[in-house]
């Protein structure tokens, strides 16, 4: 069990080397969630994630002999970058073992921060086994991403900052993977002001901490895939579990589409880029998953290292869900001028066509007719409904949204 003194000592070690991330109030998100929302923007750290706090606290406590032999870590990306950056800054060798599916952006960034990267295994657990083997073979020091009281205390420095940045603080909502982040924050917050609620959020694909609390001990879940790869942990930490069990008031889960939607909301409404894990806390508030009502709530945006191809898919899917990108299937006569008449009608209602696809052989098309799938940009559901009504009134009886 860590103590408040451990967190206070960690703050002195990382002071000046870790960015004091802002925690602004969001008027828009407050309206959407029914809370008074403050975003703790840990995605603005040098490595794009809170993870460097715990990594630096552990590196700062290495003996001269340990530092000379170097450090090893296993990580899907954010912990890797934190260890690499602060080890390199102190002239310490670092080897990072990353699972094979790790997004390229995180692999490249880790190498750029000076680490030797080893890609191994299908998931974190297999990467961790390889890191342990390397650690023993090379005589290096292993830095765990979460199941280490020193690392947990480093993450807890966020809690101390929140208490200073949000004087009216009533609740903190934190993503959970292995429990290091929420454990450190919960200790700092609850030991200072026990009336503040601490709520954890996990992806429903891998609710390892929620399951551990339910069972009374850490359990190992089956492998699962999630866009929140930063919290894709199959087993809660043995060191973090008792801290979470003692201090955390509530744990909820969110679905993949809810996480994707939160990423898009942060990007569009707040001009803030979050990765999947970094958006889970907000997803819980947007979907009203917590018991909070009108509370002054700090929401952790804990990381922003998202693969750009994944981001593009999230944006496109979000536009589809909002009705701002739609595909209509329309039956029309296969004759000169038919398409021109249709496109003029669509243009007159200010929808923008981005793609078309003709088909004369499928979908039960009559001879002499054709089917056209039209992808277009609109202002939203209301405009789509208006467009469908106009198409029906103009004789396009089989128009429908795909």
């Amino acid at each position: 069990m860590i103590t408040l003194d451990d967190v206070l000592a960690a703050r002195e070690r990382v002071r000046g080397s870790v960015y004091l991330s802002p925690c602004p109030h969001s008027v828009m998100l407050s309206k959407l969630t029914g809370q008074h929302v403050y975003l703790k923007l840990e995605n603005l750290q040098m490595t794009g994630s809170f993870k460097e706090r715990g990594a630096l606290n552990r590196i700062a406590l290495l003996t001269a002999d340990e530092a000379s032999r170097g450090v090893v870590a296993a990580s899907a990306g954010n912990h890797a970058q934190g260890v690499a950056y602060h080890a390199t800054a102190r002239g310490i060798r670092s080897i990072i073992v990353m699972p094979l599916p790790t997004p390229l952006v995180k692999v490249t960034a880790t190498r750029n921060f000076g680490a030797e990267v080893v890609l191994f295994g299908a998931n974190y657990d297999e990467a961790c086994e390889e890191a342990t083997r390397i650690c023993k073979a090379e005589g290096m020091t292993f830095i765990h991403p979460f199941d280490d009281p020193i690392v947990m205390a480093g993450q807890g420095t966020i809690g101390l900052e929140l208490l200073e940045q949000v004087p009216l603080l009533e609740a903190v909502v934190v993503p959970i993977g292995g429990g290091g982040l929420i454990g450190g924050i919960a200790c700092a917050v609850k030991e200072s002001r026990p009336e503040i609620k601490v709520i954890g959020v996990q992806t429903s694909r891998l609710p390892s901490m929620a399951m551990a609390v339910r069972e009374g001990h850490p359990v190992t879940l089956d492998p699962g895939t999630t866009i929140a790869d930063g919290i894709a942990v199959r087993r809660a930490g043995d060191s973090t579990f008792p801290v979470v069990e003692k201090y955390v008031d509530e744990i909820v889960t969110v679905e993949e589409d809810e996480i994707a939607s939160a990423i898009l909301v942060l990007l569009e409404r707040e001009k803030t880029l979050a990765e999947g894990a970094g958006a889970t806390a907000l997803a819980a508030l947007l979907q009203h998953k917590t018991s909070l009502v009108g509370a002054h709530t700090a929401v952790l945006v804990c990381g922003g290292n998202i693969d750009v191809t994944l981001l593009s898919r999230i944006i496109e899917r979000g536009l589809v869900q909002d009705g701002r990108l739609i595909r209509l299937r329309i039956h029309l006569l296969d004759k000169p001028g038919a398409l021109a008449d249709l496109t003029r009608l669509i243009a007159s209602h200010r929808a923008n066509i981005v793609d078309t696809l003709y088909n004369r052989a499928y979908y039960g098309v009559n001879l002499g007719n054709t089917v056209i799938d039209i992808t277009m940009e609109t202002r939203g559901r209301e405009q789509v409904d208006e467009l469908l009504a106009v198409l029906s009134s103009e004789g396009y009886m089989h128009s429908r949204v795909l």
Side-chain angles (χ1 to χ4, degrees):
M1 296 288 289
I2 64 171
T3 67
L4 180 59
D5 286 340
D6 294 326
V7 182
L8 290 169
R11 179 164 66 174
E12 295 308 309
R13 294 188 196 100
V14 306
R15 192 189 298 274
S17 297
V18 170
Y19 178 50
L20 176 57
S21 59
C23 191
H25 177 254
S26 171
V27 175
M28 181 60 69
L29 294 181
S30 296
K31 290 179 180 178
L32 290 174
T33 63
Q35 318 296 331
H36 301 281
V37 174
Y38 302 81
L39 295 177
K40 181 60 169 169
L41 300 176
E42 283 293 292
N43 57 329
L44 299 181
Q45 292 293 346
M46 177 64 188
T47 61
S49 163
F50 75 95
K51 285 285 191 178
E52 61 183 79
R53 294 173 180 265
L56 175 57
N57 194 41
R58 185 67 185 84
I59 289 169
L61 289 173
L62 292 174
T63 66
D65 180 58
E66 289 172 334
S68 67
R69 286 183 275 126
V71 296
V72 180
S75 169
N78 289 336
H79 178 62
Q81 293 175 65
V83 171
Y85 174 62
H86 287 289
T88 300
R90 286 157 179 74
I92 298 172
R93 180 192 180 198
S94 62
I95 298 176
I96 311 296
V97 184
M98 308 181 82
L100 289 168
T102 302
L104 179 61
V105 63
K106 295 185 178 182
V107 175
T108 302
T110 303
R111 285 184 175 135
N112 288 341
F113 283 128
E116 302 169 36
V117 175
V118 176
L119 294 175
F120 184 92
N123 51 49
Y124 167 78
D125 298 289
E126 293 179 8
C128 189
E129 289 178 7
E130 177 65 8
T132 302
R133 186 195 66 76
I134 293 173
C135 186
K136 291 179 180 178
E138 300 282 344
M140 304 171 82
T141 298
F142 182 71
I143 301 181
H144 201 282
F146 56 85
D147 204 20
D148 180 335
I150 296 173
V151 172
M152 201 184 335
Q155 322 301 26
T157 58
I158 296 173
L160 299 177
E161 293 173 11
L162 288 174
L163 293 171
E164 297 168 353
Q165 292 173 313
V166 189
L168 298 176
L169 188 64
E170 296 174 291
V172 183
V173 185
V174 187
I176 304 180
L181 175 61
I182 196 170
I185 290 175
C187 175
V189 169
K190 287 289 191 178
E191 288 297 321
S192 302
R193 289 174 52 190
E195 75 279 6
I196 295 175
K197 287 188 176 183
V198 178
I199 297 174
V201 186
Q202 291 196 288
T203 166
S204 61
R205 297 279 180 92
L206 284 167
S208 54
M209 187 63 76
M211 187 65 70
V213 171
R214 187 180 309 146
E215 297 295 326
H217 58 85
V219 295
T220 302
L221 304 182
D222 293 332
T225 58
T226 170
I227 61 172
D229 57 284
I231 55 173
V233 178
R234 295 173 57 198
R235 181 183 175 89
D238 294 320
S239 297
T240 60
F241 169 68
V243 180
V244 171
E245 192 175 42
K246 178 179 180 180
Y247 292 119
V248 175
D249 298 289
E250 182 180 355
I251 298 177
V252 300
T253 62
V254 290
E255 305 299 327
E256 296 295 290
D257 283 346
E258 293 168 345
I259 298 171
S261 178
I263 292 173
L264 191 57
V265 168
L266 282 168
L267 185 62
E268 189 169 32
R269 302 293 182 92
E270 294 294 324
K271 309 303 181 284
T272 294
L273 181 62
E275 60 187 276
T280 54
L282 179 61
L285 288 188
L286 289 170
Q287 302 300 325
H288 306 286
K289 295 289 185 77
T290 75
S291 60
L292 300 175
V293 179
H296 289 268
T297 305
V299 178
L300 265 290
V301 181
C302 61
N305 296 316
I306 188 169
D307 185 80
V308 291
T309 56
L310 174 60
L311 180 61
S312 69
R313 293 198 298 270
I314 288 172
I315 292 172
E316 185 174 35
R317 178 174 292 188
L319 292 174
V320 171
Q321 290 175 339
D322 290 345
R324 290 183 288 168
L325 183 67
I326 66 162
R327 180 173 294 167
L328 295 183
R329 177 164 293 163
I330 302 171
H331 289 242
L332 71 161
L333 291 174
D334 191 8
K335 67 174 186 177
L339 179 58
D341 291 340
L342 176 61
T343 56
R344 275 195 294 268
L345 181 62
I346 292 172
S348 69
H349 285 78
R350 312 304 298 171
N352 183 45
I353 296 173
V354 295
D355 187 43
T356 61
L357 176 64
Y358 271 99
N359 197 301
R360 294 177 174 84
Y362 299 95
Y363 316 123
V365 179
N366 295 326
L367 290 174
N369 284 4
T370 186
V371 164
I372 182 170
D373 292 343
I374 301 181
T375 304
M376 65 186 79
E377 297 168 333
T378 73
R379 294 189 301 273
R381 296 284 178 195
E382 185 176 343
Q383 187 182 13
V384 173
D385 292 340
E386 292 175 0
L387 188 56
L388 287 172
V390 170
L391 288 170
S392 178
S393 67
E394 292 293 327
Y396 300 96
M397 300 303 296
H398 299 287
S399 304
R400 63 188 179 91
V401 179
L402 297 180

